[in-house]
C-alpha cells in the first residue's frame, strides 16, 4: 500500500535490525523501500540490502555533505548504475547549511560533484535523488545547465519554498515529503504540499532521521511512512488510500523498479 522512497537502512542502528524493520514494514503495509547510498565506500552495504530483499532497491551516489571520502567519477557511478536493483543516482546536490567558516565560493567541490552525478544520470538513464539545503539557487542553476531534465528525479525531503517547488516541477522532477510535514511549525511546507500536484508527490522517511509526529525525536524507520501519507491526505483533503495509491504509482513511474530486478 505504501512506499518509502528514501531511507538509510545501512546506517548504524538500523543495519543490525533489518529483519525487525521489515516485519514492522509488513505490519504497517509498507511494501517497498529505496535504500539510499551516501558514499562509494557504503555502496556495497546498500546494494547488499537491495539484492538480499525483494522489496528493496538502491541508489548510488555521494552525499554533498560527505568530505574525506572517495570522490566519485562519472565512471564510478556508471559502473555501479548497471548493477541489478540500482534504480537511481544520488543522493546528490548541494548543502551550504554548515559552511564551517568557508564561503559559498569555497564549495566549488560540491558543485563539481553534483555535475558529475547529473552527467552519470543522463548517461545511465536513471533518475536523480536531489538533496538541497540553503543552496536552492545554485542547485537549480546547475540542474538546468547540465540538462538534468533529461534524467528526471526527485527533490527529496523537501523543505524549500513554493518558488523552488515550482522550479522543480517545471524541470519535470517529483517532490518528496518526509516526517517534517507532520511538525506543527511546518506551516510553509504544508502549503507547498497542498500546491504540489498529487501525481508529482512522493513520501519518505529519510530513516533514521526525522521521525513523524507522534514519534518525533525517536529513531525513524520505513514503517512510519504512513504517518507522512496521512498528513499529506489531510492537507489535500483526500482519502488516505488515494494518497497511498498515487505515491506508490509515482514511485514506480520514476524509478521503474519492475524493470530493474
Amino acid at each position: 500500500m505504501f512506499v518509502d522512497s528514501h531511507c538509510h537502512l545501512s546506517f548504524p542502528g538500523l543495519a543490525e535490525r533489518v529483519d525487525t524493520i521489515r516485519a514492522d514494514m509488513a505490519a504497517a503495509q509498507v511494501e517497498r523501500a529505496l535504500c539510499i547510498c551516501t558514499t562509494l565506500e557504503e555502496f556495497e552495504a546498500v546494494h547488499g540490502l537491495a539484492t538480499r530483499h525483494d522489496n528493496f532497491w538502491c541508489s548510488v551516489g555521494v552525499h554533498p555533505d560527505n568530505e574525506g571520502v572517495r570522490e566519485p567519477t562519472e565512471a564510478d557511478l556508471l559502473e555501479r548504475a548497471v548493477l541489478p536493483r540500482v534504480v537511481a543516482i544520488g543522493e546528490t546536490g548541494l548543502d551550504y547549511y554548515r559552511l564551517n567558516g568557508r564561503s559559498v565560493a569555497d564549495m566549488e567541490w560540491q558543485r563539481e560533484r553534483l555535475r558529475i552525478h547529473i552527467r552519470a544520470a543522463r548517461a545511465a538513464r536513471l533518475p536523480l535523488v536531489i538533496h538541497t539545503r540553503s543552496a536552492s539557487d545554485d542547485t537549480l542553476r546547475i540542474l538546468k545547465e547540465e540538462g538534468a531534465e533529461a534524467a528526471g528525479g526527485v527533490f527529496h525531503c523537501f523543505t524549500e519554498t513554493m518558488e523552488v517547488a515550482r522550479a522543480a516541477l517545471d524541470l519535470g522532477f517529483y517532490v518528496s515529503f518526509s516526517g517534517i510535514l507532520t511538525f506543527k511549525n511546518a506551516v510553509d511546507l504544508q502549503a507547498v504540499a497542498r500546491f504540489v500536484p498529487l501525481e508529482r508527490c512522493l513520501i519518505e522517511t529519510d530513516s533514521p532521521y526525522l521521525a513523524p509526529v507522534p514519534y518525533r525525536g525517536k529513531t525513524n524507520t520505513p514503517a512510519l511512512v504512513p504517518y507522512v501519507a496521512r498528513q499529506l491526505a489531510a492537507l489535500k483533503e483526500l482519502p488516505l488510500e488515494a494518497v497511498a495509491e498515487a505515491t506508490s504509482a509515482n514511485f514506480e513511474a520514476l524509478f521503474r523498479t519492475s524493470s530493474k530486478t
Side-chain angles (χ1 to χ4, degrees), residues 8 20 31 57 85 93 98 140 150 157 160 172 182 190 220 230-231 250 258-259:
H8 297 282
T20 300
E31 296 175 345
W57 285 263
R85 306 189 75 78
R98 295 184 184 89
L140 289 165
C157 192
E160 302 293 332
T182 69
Q190 290 165 2
N220 204 0
R230 288 189 186 97
Q231 178 72 331
N250 295 344
S258 61
S259 66

Side-chain angles (χ1 to χ4, degrees), residues 1-9 21 25 29-36 55-57 176-178 202-207 220-226 228 247-248 251 255:
M1 187 172 180
F2 302 99
V3 176
D4 184 355
S5 67
H6 192 112
C7 60
H8 297 282
L9 299 187
I21 288 169
M25 288 173 62
Q29 295 183 283
V30 181
E31 296 175 345
R32 291 176 286 173
L34 179 57
C35 300
I36 299 295
N55 61 338
F56 289 168
W57 285 263
S176 183
F177 298 100
S178 71
L202 293 174
I203 54 175
E204 65 172 270
T205 61
D206 203 12
S207 304
N220 204 0
T221 77
L224 299 183
V225 81
V228 183
T247 53
S248 295
F251 178 87
F255 295 113

Side-chain angles (χ1 to χ4, degrees), residues 63-81:
H63 191 289
D65 259 349
N66 282 331
E67 300 184 59
V69 298
R70 179 176 168 184
E71 198 61 39
T73 66
E74 188 175 337
D76 287 329
L77 298 172
L78 289 174
E79 177 185 340
R80 292 159 178 80

Side-chain angles (χ1 to χ4, degrees), residues 171-188:
L171 280 171
F173 277 63
Y174 289 75
V175 175
S176 183
F177 298 100
S178 71
I180 295 173
L181 195 65
T182 69
F183 297 175
K184 288 183 179 179
N185 62 350
V187 176
D188 291 344

